[in-house]
Amino acid sequence: MINYLIQGTVGGVVATIICIVFAEIIWKRIIVPWCEERVYKDSEIEGTWDGVVDGENGQTSDVVELRRAGHKVSGTIHVSGLRGGIYTFEGTFKNLILSVTYVAKDRTQLNRGSITLMLKENGAQLIGKCVHYDGHLMTIAAQEYTLRRRAGA
C-alpha cells in the first residue's frame, strides 16, 4: 500500500516537472517566438543605425546595432565621445513605436535609461526621446534622439 502511494507521489512530481519544463523552455522560448515571427507584419527595422543625441553639451554620435525577433528587439549602442561606452538594450517595436530600456555593458557604470522613438521618413529614421540617468552629473535628463538607417544596412 505504501509502495503505491510513493509511486503515485513520485509520478506526480515528475509529471509536474515535465510540464513546467515544457511550459517554460519549449513554449515560451521556442514556440511563442516562432509564431510571433510568422505573423509579424510590422516594418523591418533590424540592422545598423547611426544615432544623434542633441544634449546640453552639443551632439553625441552613436552606432546602434538592432536585432528583432517578432515584436521583441535587442542590441547594442556604441556611444562615441568623452562619455562614450557600450550599452545593451531590449524592448519592443509595435505600431511604428520602438520602446527600449538600456544599461551600460560595463557593470561598474550606473548610466541607464529608456528610449522611445517613432519610425518616420518611410522607414529611414527613428525619431523621439531618450530619458537617462547620467552617473557623471548624477541627474536624470531627457534629450532628442534620432536614428538614421545606415545605407545598405
Side-chain angles (χ1 to χ4, degrees):
M1 187 69 151
I2 296 273
N3 247 355
Y4 295 126
L5 183 63
I6 292 172
Q7 288 175 349
T9 303
V10 169
V13 169
V14 169
T16 301
I17 291 171
I18 289 171
C19 287
I20 290 172
V21 166
F22 177 79
E24 194 61 35
I25 294 175
I26 296 174
W27 185 259
K28 288 184 180 177
R29 295 185 187 169
I30 296 173
I31 295 174
V32 170
W34 182 83
C35 290
E36 285 178 351
E37 188 65 27
R38 297 298 163 263
V39 299
Y40 181 80
K41 301 292 183 208
D42 233 329
S43 300
E44 304 287 331
I45 61 167
E46 53 273 9
T48 304
W49 296 74
D50 294 313
V52 175
V53 178
D54 290 322
E56 299 164 358
N57 301 326
Q59 288 188 340
T60 305
S61 297
D62 302 347
V63 175
V64 177
E65 296 291 335
L66 203 140
R67 294 179 298 280
R68 181 196 57 79
H71 290 286
K72 294 180 181 172
V73 294
S74 62
T76 56
I77 304 170
H78 300 267
V79 180
S80 64
L82 184 60
R83 294 203 175 121
I86 300 174
Y87 299 86
T88 59
F89 66 85
E90 17 182 67
T92 59
F93 180 73
K94 291 182 181 178
N95 303 325
L96 302 179
I97 302 294
L98 175 68
S99 178
V100 300
T101 57
Y102 68 90
V103 296
K105 197 167 186 178
D106 178 0
R107 297 293 179 194
T108 62
Q109 291 186 0
L110 298 176
N111 298 348
R112 62 188 59 235
S114 63
I115 301 170
T116 302
L117 306 171
M118 177 181 264
L119 190 65
K120 296 191 171 205
E121 303 289 329
N122 200 23
Q125 289 188 354
L126 286 158
I127 300 171
K129 299 277 186 185
C130 172
V131 177
H132 63 95
Y133 172 74
D134 187 330
H136 298 288
L137 300 176
M138 297 182 74
T139 186
I140 295 176
Q143 299 171 322
E144 298 288 328
Y145 194 49
T146 303
L147 292 177
R148 289 180 181 82
R149 189 184 300 267
R150 200 172 262 187

